[in-house]
Amino acid sequence: QVQLVESGGGLVQPGGSLRLSCAASGSISRILSMGWYRPAPGKQRELVARITSGGTTNYADSVKGRFTISRDNAKNTVYLQMNSLKPEDTAVYHCQLDLGRLIYWGQGTQVTVSS
């Protein structure tokens, strides 16, 4: 059994910052990647940012230059530093853990950007 515990969401004003965390625990063998997703029009979820076990990162065009994903391999934890937040970043952010054979999702953490 694998558990993902997310934290760090909240309410922030436009231009502000938040840091999301997602800690994975349980029967974890080899992690291919960890990432963050959020709902998008016409899609169930869109990729926000992802980091592979080798450290390769991918970002949605809409967050490049503002968001930074990082990972603590020893703690099986992924972080998403979100700067210069915009109202359109408002969403429930879900953590994803890719073990290759199986993919796990966190329950989500709400990020609200509003004045």
Side-chain angles (χ1 to χ4, degrees):
Q1 194 74 349
V2 173
Q3 295 83 38
L4 296 177
V5 178
E6 300 148 322
S7 61
L11 172 64
V12 64
Q13 293 186 342
S17 298
L18 283 174
R19 188 190 193 211
L20 305 183
S21 299
C22 174
S25 62
S27 302
I28 298 172
S29 52
R30 179 169 168 260
I31 297 176
L32 295 187
S33 70
M34 295 184 74
W36 292 93
Y37 290 73
R38 66 188 181 189
K43 304 178 183 178
Q44 186 172 9
R45 289 171 186 165
E46 69 171 359
L47 172 70
V48 176
R50 186 177 74 109
I51 184 166
T52 69
S53 59
T56 300
T57 57
N58 300 97
Y59 295 93
D61 287 343
S62 59
V63 307
K64 283 180 181 177
R66 300 188 297 122
F67 291 10
T68 302
I69 191 168
S70 61
R71 188 171 143 186
D72 185 332
N73 290 333
K75 296 181 179 179
N76 287 335
T77 299
V78 65
Y79 306 96
L80 185 66
Q81 178 65 43
M82 304 187 294
N83 299 329
S84 302
L85 282 161
K86 304 176 181 180
E88 50 264 43
D89 294 318
T90 295
V92 177
Y93 286 69
H94 293 268
C95 175
Q96 185 205 66
L97 171 66
D98 186 352
L99 301 181
R101 297 178 298 108
L102 294 171
I103 290 177
Y104 293 90
W105 292 93
Q107 79 284 356
T109 184
Q110 177 69 46
V111 171
T112 302
V113 185
S114 175
S115 55

